[in-house]
Amino acid sequence: MYKLYGSTTSPYVRRLRIWLANTQHEFINMQIFESEDRTILITKNPALKVPALEHVEGDESTLIYDSRVIYRYLSEQLDYASLSWDQENQLTLVDSVNDSLVQMFLLSKSDVVADTDKLFFKLQKERVNNVLAELNEQVERGKFNSWNYPAICLFSLIDWIEFRSLHNLKGLSALLDFHQENAQRIEVTATDPRM
């Protein structure tokens, strides 16, 4: 039995929920900043991050802590093909934007005002702009035409950016079209954080 611990709003959790749509698993929706769920989370992931996966087999259980590692673990368990190096690079790009925007989002929730003259904010903005432009170009070249794990990760990122109003995607028409083309998939609507 696979148990996926996370929140409905995390793009890292959502990508796995979409990918696991046809795989039997239990999703444990957590309010990770509330004390009761935080206590559970620390027993499942000492890094206090979501997602976390628990694979229970009889009396044994295995815990996996990171979305990328969870994907790799489940791919091996389910006998799926490994990602190509090109796809691994796509995930690195998607994750770099996710990581930067998560940090910026948490700072804004902590009432820290983004000052673009400060090095931290300047570097995050530069990374986000550069990587989104590269991902937009890759979508234009058809690199995300298949609905596979990297495409699911890209969709989850774009949808989270739109959901949280984290970045202006104007001018990134390929990303916006990609988002719109996939927004009505059953597994996407079933995991929509707005619901």
Side-chain angles (χ1 to χ4, degrees), residues 152-170:
I152 290 168
C153 293
L154 179 61
F155 177 87
S156 298
L157 168 65
I158 298 166
D159 197 62
W160 184 66
I161 290 171
E162 295 281 273
F163 170 58
R164 294 291 194 191
S165 302
L166 295 171
H167 189 80
N168 185 349
L169 297 174
K170 186 178 178 183

Side-chain angles (χ1 to χ4, degrees), residues 142-157:
K143 295 259 188 176
F144 288 92
N145 284 353
S146 297
W147 186 244
N148 55 19
Y149 190 66
I152 290 168
C153 293
L154 179 61
F155 177 87
S156 298
L157 168 65

